[in-house]
């Protein structure tokens, strides 16, 4: 991954924040966690995602409050 764990590019996923180096949106990660999926289940379903990416998604949610 790059220095920034979360990036936004208008050419990738319509500019939604994604985990750097993937097309996995922060929104999708947060929705899956809210629906009761565990980080392990999310990681298994998305092999390019890392635990650090999930943590960055959670941290970004807290920053918006």
């Amino acid at each position: 991954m790059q220095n920034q764990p979360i990036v936004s590019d208008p050419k990738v996923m319509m500019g939604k924040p994604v985990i750097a180096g993937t097309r996995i949106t922060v929104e999708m990660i947060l929705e899956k966690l809210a629906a009761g999926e565990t980080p392990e289940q999310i990681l298994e379903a998305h092999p390019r995602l890392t635990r650090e990416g999930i943590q960055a998604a959670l941290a970004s949610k807290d920053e918006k409050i």
Side-chain angles (χ1 to χ4, degrees):
M1 284 198 318
Q2 304 163 0
N3 287 340
Q4 294 290 330
I6 297 174
V7 296
S8 183
D9 180 342
K11 297 177 184 175
V12 178
M13 300 301 289
M14 298 186 302
K16 291 183 178 181
V18 298
I19 304 303
T22 75
R23 295 177 61 85
I24 301 170
T25 64
V26 169
E27 176 183 36
M28 185 271 306
I29 293 169
L30 296 177
E31 286 175 353
K32 286 180 175 276
L33 290 169
E37 286 192 43
T38 65
E40 291 75 21
Q41 290 171 318
I42 297 170
L43 291 169
E44 186 176 319
H46 303 278
R48 294 198 57 185
L49 184 61
T50 64
R51 188 165 301 281
E52 292 77 18
I54 293 174
Q55 291 170 341
L58 286 168
S60 74
K61 175 183 154 254
D62 293 338
E63 290 173 5
K64 294 179 182 177
I65 294 177

